[in-house]
Amino acid sequence: MMSAKLKRSTLFWILLSPIVVVILFPYAVMTISSLKSATEVLTPNWWPTELHWQNFPEMWRTSGIAPALANSLYVSALSTALTILVSIPAAYALSRYQFAGRDAFRQFLLVSQMLSPIVLVIGLFRLVAGAGMIDSLNVLVVIYTAFNIAFCVWMLQSYFSTIPRDLEEAAWMEGASRWRTLISVFLPLAVPAMVVTAIFTFINAWNEFVIALTMLRTEGSYTLPIRVFSLVAGRYTVDWHYVMAAAFVASVPVAVLFAWLQRYLVRGLSIGAVK
């Protein structure tokens, strides 16, 4: 007979199965379509009669996705690093110091998250064009960093506030400076929150489309979302098997990042749940 624990697990998986199916269905369609032939990709057949693995090397050679992948990695990684470096001191100050306008600044961070970046696209374009910096990846890095700082500061200061002050005070009593205490005592305890915040920042930059489409002009500077979009837009015929293969390649770095940092992700998402 099934144990009570096994019965509960089975019941939970049955209840969760609709959610799992809804989440995995687009990825299944993408993966299977990327392995179909050009004539079979739009047919109602769910499974291809033959798996066309050559779609991936052919797409890699003809679509120009390699430089776009490098551009996206550069923009996403650099903007994430800059965002975290700027956000840590700001979040630490909000969680540890009392100063005039502190609460108002926290509310400003929260309200700024309600403003969609698309509202500012025209203004940003005129500003960047006036500076003669259109079609520059570094401009994207600066813009993504500016947009993500508020989110990162809000997330980090919430977690920093849960770290006991007694640990820092003990380090001070042992003769450690504030800077040494921050580096050696405080930040190691905040690693889960910093990793989670960095992951979400990286994903925001990796998937961003509107600002990149507005600021970039030449194919050599395209990021991955723009390159995948270019495989569809303005064409009389669309090679959907190549489009799906490109979308699959675009999803791999984020999947690898999640798999690599999942232990920090679980710990970071549960911050503040137990005190």
Side-chain angles (χ1 to χ4, degrees):
M1 295 180 63
M2 296 176 63
S3 65
K5 183 177 181 180
L6 181 58
K7 289 181 179 179
R8 286 197 303 270
S9 299
T10 304
L11 177 61
F12 290 153
W13 276 113
I14 292 174
L15 295 175
L16 289 172
S17 59
I19 301 175
V20 174
V21 170
V22 170
I23 294 174
L24 294 182
F25 181 76
Y27 296 97
V29 172
M30 175 183 67
T31 304
I32 294 172
S33 299
S34 66
L35 296 174
K36 290 183 176 182
S37 64
T39 57
E40 194 179 16
V41 69
L42 295 180
T43 62
N45 297 333
W46 170 251
W47 192 258
T49 56
E50 182 182 355
L51 298 179
H52 294 265
W53 295 101
Q54 68 272 16
N55 288 345
F56 286 92
E58 289 176 1
M59 176 275 300
W60 190 269
R61 289 196 309 268
T62 60
S63 65
I65 199 173
L69 179 63
N71 291 340
S72 284
L73 287 173
Y74 170 79
V75 170
S76 301
L78 186 55
S79 62
T80 299
L82 291 176
T83 300
I84 295 299
L85 287 176
V86 173
S87 299
I88 287 175
Y92 183 80
L94 282 175
S95 66
R96 286 296 188 260
Y97 298 105
Q98 296 291 334
F99 53 88
R102 175 174 175 267
D103 292 336
F105 183 68
R106 293 181 62 186
Q107 293 302 318
F108 166 75
L109 294 176
L110 184 61
V111 171
S112 67
Q113 299 306 295
M114 304 177 186
L115 186 64
S116 174
I118 197 172
V119 177
L120 305 176
V121 164
I122 296 177
L124 285 172
F125 178 79
R126 295 188 62 181
L127 181 64
V128 173
M133 300 181 68
I134 289 293
D135 201 37
S136 171
L137 292 177
N138 292 325
V139 167
L140 282 187
V141 171
V142 173
I143 294 175
Y144 291 168
T145 301
F147 274 119
N148 286 315
I149 282 176
F151 167 78
C152 289
V153 172
W154 180 264
M155 288 284 291
L156 290 176
Q157 65 90 26
S158 297
Y159 182 77
F160 287 177
S161 298
T162 66
I163 299 177
R165 294 174 181 266
D166 296 345
L167 299 176
E168 296 172 89
E169 293 174 355
W172 296 338
M173 292 180 64
E174 293 293 331
S177 63
R178 287 186 177 271
W179 179 254
R180 179 63 181 273
T181 302
L182 177 66
I183 298 298
S184 303
V185 177
F186 188 86
L187 290 184
L189 297 174
V191 167
M194 290 189 293
V195 170
V196 170
T197 305
I199 288 175
F200 281 110
T201 303
F202 184 90
I203 292 174
N204 286 338
W206 184 265
N207 293 330
E208 202 286 321
F209 175 76
V210 175
I211 295 176
L213 181 64
T214 305
M215 301 297 172
L216 302 179
R217 287 292 177 267
T218 60
E219 292 190 358
S221 62
Y222 281 178
T223 55
L224 208 51
I226 308 303
R227 173 54 66 188
V228 175
F229 171 73
S230 69
L231 298 178
V232 180
R235 294 175 179 246
Y236 292 105
T237 59
V238 178
D239 296 322
W240 287 108
H241 54 307
Y242 289 163
V243 173
M244 293 296 103
F248 180 88
V249 171
S251 64
V252 168
V254 176
V256 171
L257 185 66
F258 265 90
W260 180 39
L261 300 174
Q262 63 177 338
R263 63 191 181 98
Y264 293 107
L265 184 66
V266 173
R267 290 170 57 192
L269 289 176
S270 61
I271 56 178
V274 179
K275 294 185 179 181

